[in-house]
Amino acid sequence: MPVNAEYLDYILGQISSLSNVTYKRMFGGIGLYQAGTFFSLIDDDLLYFKLDDLTRDDYTKVEMELFRPFGDQGLTMQYYEVPESVLTDTEELRDWALKAVDVALRAKKKKKRR
């Protein structure tokens, strides 16, 4: 489903303390970038952050869901839904966003080494 413009504006406002954030529409959703690094996506008016083994516990301990672009039975991606309690706290959201950017940067470094 397309992302509601009001929801996108809300998310951009909540992470406005993070510098150089841009977005691109993609496959019915939206990708968020910080200084050109893809770290987040929005789909069906839900925000997801990129994760890896170092940050997975942040999401699983609050029982958040993996992003499934093709529904419950389909493929999963390494993006977890951001809890609403984090969405409403701009400082905590910024911390979680910065962790997601770090995850994306680590993933880039791994690809370069291969």
Side-chain angles (χ1 to χ4, degrees):
M1 285 177 80
V3 174
N4 182 316
E6 289 82 18
Y7 186 78
L8 174 60
D9 288 343
Y10 173 74
I11 295 301
L12 293 174
Q14 290 296 94
I15 61 171
S16 63
S17 67
L18 199 64
S19 64
N20 299 318
V21 173
T22 57
Y23 69 91
K24 294 181 186 175
R25 296 196 179 277
M26 49 189 272
F27 310 111
I30 292 177
L32 296 178
Y33 299 77
Q34 197 269 332
T37 299
F38 179 52
F39 75 97
S40 177
L41 58 90
I42 302 172
D43 187 62
D44 290 336
D45 290 346
L46 295 172
L47 178 67
Y48 297 86
F49 282 159
K50 187 166 183 62
L51 70 117
D52 63 9
D53 291 338
L54 297 177
T55 60
R56 186 176 318 279
D57 285 348
D58 292 343
Y59 298 88
T60 58
K61 72 181 176 187
V62 291
E63 300 179 2
M64 299 315 296
E65 296 291 323
L66 273 166
F67 176 60
R68 296 177 186 275
F70 305 109
D72 289 341
Q73 303 305 316
L75 160 85
T76 61
M77 296 176 69
Q78 293 302 304
Y79 292 83
Y80 263 84
E81 183 181 347
V82 176
E84 188 168 336
S85 62
V86 173
L87 280 177
T88 58
D89 182 332
T90 56
E91 289 181 27
E92 190 171 11
L93 183 59
R94 183 180 197 282
D95 291 344
W96 282 50
L98 288 171
K99 286 183 187 179
V101 170
D102 287 343
V103 169
L105 290 171
R106 284 194 296 272
K108 277 185 180 181
K109 285 181 184 178
K110 282 183 184 179
K111 281 185 181 181
K112 283 184 180 181
R113 280 190 246 151
R114 291 181 189 172

